[in-house]
Amino acid sequence: SQTIHQWPATLVQPVGSPLSLECTVEGTSNPNLYWYRQAAGRGLQLLFYSVGIGQISSEVPQNLSASRPQDRQFILSSKKLLLSDSGFYLCAWRPGEVVQETQYFGPGTRLLVL
Amino acid sequence: AQKITQTQPGMFVQEKEAVTLDCTYDTSDPSYGLFWYKQPSSGEMIFLIYQGSYDQQNATEGRYSLNFQKARKSANLVISASQLGDSAMYFCAMREWLSGSARQLTFGSGTQLTVLP
């Protein structure tokens, strides 16, 4: 069966510090991968998605970036965090086959920027 | 314009009763998908149910059913026989096309459901 992992689970970082959040998927090949951010009490906002290694599409201009160095690894990064980057970050995957619709989410990372 | 609208910020239901969570959507794409996710306080997003725009019958998954009214562009979630563990935030989402094979999910603002003992 497929599983998705995210770490760290929680993170407190000062403004201006770098960020690296990791997401890995097990039990599948060539998944579509997604990074979402959820502000407190709000819905999810898509940040990045990837259909393959090295292929990243950005949905929202910001100081964040994403990379996919391996088929089942998706990394969210920042060189300098802003206060507004605080939130709950969720990674999701979907099988690469066209017929499969559902996205499955990881446990998330709570980021607090002080 | 909002593509997914959930008009109920909060709902209360008595244990063992049924509850309907509203969701309306806006799209001009003839092919689309609708999803409901549950988010408990732990934060994890749990997939509940999916309805394709061409599906003739309403989707059902155990105690969850989706009341799909295509002409009205609504996709309400019905939870039968509510349990205390159903207390959570519920999100409606719609699949849209993106370049390549990836498909974006657009989420509503959510409904906080509280099940009362």
Side-chain angles (χ1 to χ4, degrees):
Chain A
S1 62
Q2 300 87 7
T3 56
I4 178 169
H5 304 279
Q6 286 186 246
W7 64 88
T10 59
L11 190 60
V12 181
Q13 291 284 94
V15 169
S17 64
L19 173 74
S20 181
L21 303 182
E22 191 164 344
C23 170
T24 58
V25 182
E26 296 177 356
T28 187
S29 296
N30 197 30
N32 292 343
L33 296 172
Y34 306 83
W35 276 113
Y36 290 87
R37 176 168 60 199
Q38 184 180 29
R42 305 287 296 277
L44 273 67
Q45 179 186 40
L46 179 65
L47 301 176
F48 301 95
Y49 70 92
S50 172
V51 300
I53 296 174
Q55 301 178 59
I56 307 294
S57 296
S58 174
E59 289 298 303
V60 182
Q62 61 221 320
N63 70 320
L64 299 172
S65 62
S67 62
R68 186 168 176 176
Q70 301 180 41
D71 181 45
R72 289 168 287 178
Q73 184 184 31
F74 205 22
I75 297 173
L76 183 69
S77 304
S78 173
K79 293 182 179 179
K80 289 185 177 181
L81 283 169
L82 307 173
L83 288 175
S84 57
D85 291 326
S86 293
F88 189 52
Y89 289 82
L90 285 156
C91 180
W93 75 276
R94 184 182 74 84
E97 302 85 33
V98 175
V99 297
Q100 174 59 270
E101 296 282 356
T102 303
Q103 291 183 18
Y104 299 94
F105 286 81
T109 295
R110 296 191 186 277
L111 172 65
L112 178 61
V113 182
L114 300 175
Chain B
Q2 280 192 332
K3 295 196 174 184
I4 294 285
T5 303
Q6 294 181 253
T7 58
Q8 306 153 314
M11 288 280 288
F12 292 88
V13 64
Q14 207 70 36
E15 191 178 10
K16 299 181 183 178
E17 292 187 351
V19 63
T20 298
L21 306 184
D22 295 341
C23 173
T24 58
Y25 59 92
D26 182 26
T27 182
S28 57
D29 190 341
S31 175
Y32 53 91
L34 297 157
F35 304 78
W36 278 93
Y37 285 85
K38 171 185 178 181
Q39 187 178 40
S41 57
S42 62
E44 185 177 2
M45 293 286 283
I46 302 168
F47 166 72
L48 296 178
I49 197 167
Y50 165 77
Q51 178 86 42
S53 59
Y54 292 119
D55 293 342
Q56 295 296 319
Q57 293 186 326
N58 287 345
T60 60
E61 289 285 348
R63 295 186 298 110
Y64 304 108
S65 61
L66 200 152
N67 183 3
F68 182 45
Q69 298 188 37
K70 197 169 182 177
R72 295 184 178 182
K73 294 188 174 180
S74 74
N76 299 339
L77 177 69
V78 180
I79 305 175
S80 62
S82 297
Q83 301 172 357
L84 295 177
D86 293 335
S87 293
M89 182 74 89
Y90 288 80
F91 289 96
C92 180
M94 178 173 66
R95 182 260 295 159
E96 295 182 303
W97 283 97
L98 288 170
S99 59
S101 62
R103 301 183 186 189
Q104 178 180 1
L105 286 183
T106 302
F107 285 81
S109 55
T111 295
Q112 179 68 47
L113 176 67
T114 302
V115 180
L116 304 172

